[in-house]
Amino acid sequence: MRILSQQSLEDWTTFGLPARAEHFASCASEDEVKEALAWHREQNCALHVLGGGSNVLLADDLPGLVLQMGIGGVTEVEDTDDGVLVRVGAGVGWHEFVMTSLDRGWYGLENLSLIPGSTGAGPMQNIGAYGVELEERFHGLEAVEVATGETHHFAHSDCQFGYRESVFKRALKGQYVITAVTFHLLKTPELRLQYGAIKSALKAAGVTDPTPKSVSDAVIGIRRSKLPDPSVLGNAGSFFKNPVVDEARHLALAKKFPEMPQYPTAGGIKLAAGWLIDQAGWKGHDRGTHGVHDRQALVLVNKGGATGSELLQLAEDVQQDVLKRFGVQLEREVNVLPGAQL
Ligand code: EPU
């Protein structure tokens, strides 16, 4: 493992923003992760872990060490009665893993097709789409403790999963580097078709007897039609989380906007941030080098030549306007490095 200096990170994140890492190590095994962490402890410098770089906004150069996760491998570790346990290296691309699982006849992740990023980053924010969240097929994970270099195992109950949440974003933030994730996948498909968009896409494709593959194809089609391809237009997917509001706020808004999308959840009513931003007139907003995507208002885009601080300014303007119009505070879903800027 080599430690590089002043490495450009432009091609390592999907926003494609200009920023450099003071030191940079790409790690292809758990031993290399431990080696890089030992170096970081010796130097007593900052540490940032980068997976697929698809959920991060680089607001500036990163001091210290950037550990790029490159551990590969997809291995069946156990045959269970109803399925298989599959261990996946944290550096395996998420979509690549979903495609491999379909090829091997392991089901349950088809609704999560085409989500960018690495498998190791998936549990951090419990990725989810079209009615399925990663935690539903999650079995456990291995992670190296930054302070000691020791490997720890986390079971489902240790991870405190929530909507785009886990213990790794909260109480244990920055304390572990995830190196492998184990999933419990099914041998018999249990299709999840409750999302209207999936039903419509299957219908449009003339599918009357859906399979995991046809659901995956439908999801891929929907995502391609709404979300920009990062290799063409820099972005980090949904920039904000969908906000959960209390009953009073919900009732006031629902009265004024009867057509407003709303989803009851355990903690309150979840609203669609994309709808609020769209309604406020930001969809397609253009600031030359950057703006709001014209087909999905929840996505901010780097059209070429934007800086991280410009994108953060746009995000703040959107947040303030939505707060003013609807009394709803939007929270960022994307991680801003280094540290919180707003
Ligand atoms: N909407 C608008 N205008 C917009 C965008 C959305 O009116 O510009 C409306 C839609 O018509 C719909 C509602 O808002 O009624 C929700 O939109 P959509 O179904 O597209 O989903 P979303 O809430 O915007 C979430 C996830 C996505 C995930 C989709 C599908 C979050 C923050 N985002 O988006 O995840 O793919 O559901 O399940 O939860 C990501 O996290 O990066 C991501 C793309």
Side-chain angles (χ1 to χ4, degrees), residues 15 17 56-60 239-240 282 287 289-291 300-302 306-320 330-342:
F15 248 133
L17 294 167
V56 40
L57 184 152
L58 298 177
D60 209 341
F239 197 90
F240 303 101
W282 288 92
R287 291 190 176 176
T289 56
H290 60 294
L300 302 190
V301 292
N302 172 14
T307 63
S309 45
E310 284 173 331
L311 274 156
L312 274 179
Q313 184 59 55
L314 171 59
E316 194 187 10
D317 293 347
V318 168
Q319 281 169 309
Q320 277 183 4
L330 295 180
E331 208 185 305
R332 285 196 301 253
E333 203 240 320
V334 166
N335 299 314
V336 175
L337 293 180
Q341 301 286 304
L342 288 180

Side-chain angles (χ1 to χ4, degrees), residues 154-224:
F154 290 80
H156 191 292
S157 57
D158 300 323
C159 297
Q160 298 174 20
F161 289 120
Y163 165 60
R164 296 296 194 275
E165 283 294 352
S166 78
V167 74
F168 302 104
K169 276 178 81 176
R170 297 280 169 194
L172 299 183
K173 187 172 178 174
Q175 295 182 35
Y176 286 89
V177 177
I178 296 172
T179 50
V181 188
T182 303
F183 295 90
H184 181 203
L185 302 180
L186 306 169
K187 287 184 197 159
T188 309
E190 281 176 21
L191 298 183
R192 304 281 284 276
L193 307 172
Q194 73 269 37
Y195 257 64
I198 293 190
K199 284 185 205 149
S200 318
L202 288 170
K203 198 168 170 212
V207 176
T208 47
D209 190 11
T211 62
K213 176 75 171 70
S214 56
V215 172
S216 167
D217 288 343
V219 168
I220 290 172
I222 302 166
R223 291 188 76 95
R224 286 214 171 113

Side-chain angles (χ1 to χ4, degrees), residues 128-131 163-164 195 223 226-227 236-238 240-242 261 263 272 274-275 278 283 295-298 333:
Y130 304 106
Y163 165 60
R164 296 296 194 275
Y195 257 64
R223 291 188 76 95
K226 285 208 263 188
L227 297 167
S238 298
F240 303 101
K241 287 186 187 183
N242 285 329
Y263 319 96
W275 185 89
D278 188 352
K283 195 173 188 166
R295 276 177 283 159
Q296 163 58 285
L298 203 43
E333 203 240 320

Side-chain angles (χ1 to χ4, degrees), residues 74-113:
V74 176
T75 320
E76 179 178 335
V77 288
E78 198 181 316
D79 203 321
T80 66
D81 281 350
D82 59 344
V84 281
L85 294 186
V86 182
R87 183 174 179 275
V88 189
V92 175
W94 174 261
H95 180 64
E96 182 193 327
F97 165 51
V98 173
M99 292 298 102
T100 304
S101 69
L102 284 175
D103 284 348
R104 302 281 297 266
W106 305 330
Y107 306 125
L109 299 176
E110 47 278 355
N111 294 39
L112 305 182
S113 298

Side-chain angles (χ1 to χ4, degrees), residues 245-311:
V245 297
D246 62 22
E247 194 53 40
R249 168 68 45 199
H250 165 246
L251 281 177
L253 287 172
K255 203 168 154 203
K256 207 162 158 200
F257 306 102
E259 76 291 1
M260 178 181 72
Q262 46 196 278
Y263 319 96
T265 68
I269 315 289
K270 195 191 272 185
L271 305 180
W275 185 89
L276 294 168
I277 299 168
D278 188 352
Q279 194 71 20
W282 288 92
K283 195 173 188 166
H285 177 81
D286 182 17
R287 291 190 176 176
T289 56
H290 60 294
V292 179
H293 190 47
D294 55 8
R295 276 177 283 159
Q296 163 58 285
L298 203 43
V299 177
L300 302 190
V301 292
N302 172 14
K303 301 182 179 187
T307 63
S309 45
E310 284 173 331
L311 274 156

Side-chain angles (χ1 to χ4, degrees), residues 22-146:
E22 188 182 2
H23 304 288
F24 180 90
S26 191
C27 299
S29 66
E30 192 191 41
D31 283 346
E32 288 194 349
V33 169
K34 290 185 176 179
E35 214 184 304
L37 291 180
W39 187 89
H40 146 77
R41 285 196 299 274
E42 218 173 271
Q43 302 284 317
N44 196 19
C45 62
L47 173 74
H48 305 283
V49 181
L50 211 54
S54 61
N55 203 42
V56 40
L57 184 152
L58 298 177
D60 209 341
D61 290 343
L62 299 187
L65 176 67
V66 169
L67 190 164
Q68 199 279 324
M69 176 51 64
I71 301 178
V74 176
T75 320
E76 179 178 335
V77 288
E78 198 181 316
D79 203 321
T80 66
D81 281 350
D82 59 344
V84 281
L85 294 186
V86 182
R87 183 174 179 275
V88 189
V92 175
W94 174 261
H95 180 64
E96 182 193 327
F97 165 51
V98 173
M99 292 298 102
T100 304
S101 69
L102 284 175
D103 284 348
R104 302 281 297 266
W106 305 330
Y107 306 125
L109 299 176
E110 47 278 355
N111 294 39
L112 305 182
S113 298
L114 211 62
I115 294 183
S118 61
T119 301
M124 296 279 299
Q125 57 154 350
N126 183 24
I127 53 173
Y130 304 106
V132 175
E133 286 185 335
L134 171 142
E135 66 149 314
E136 295 169 58
R137 303 269 46 103
F138 176 90
H139 180 74
L141 63 77
E142 291 148 54
V144 178
E145 191 176 14
V146 173

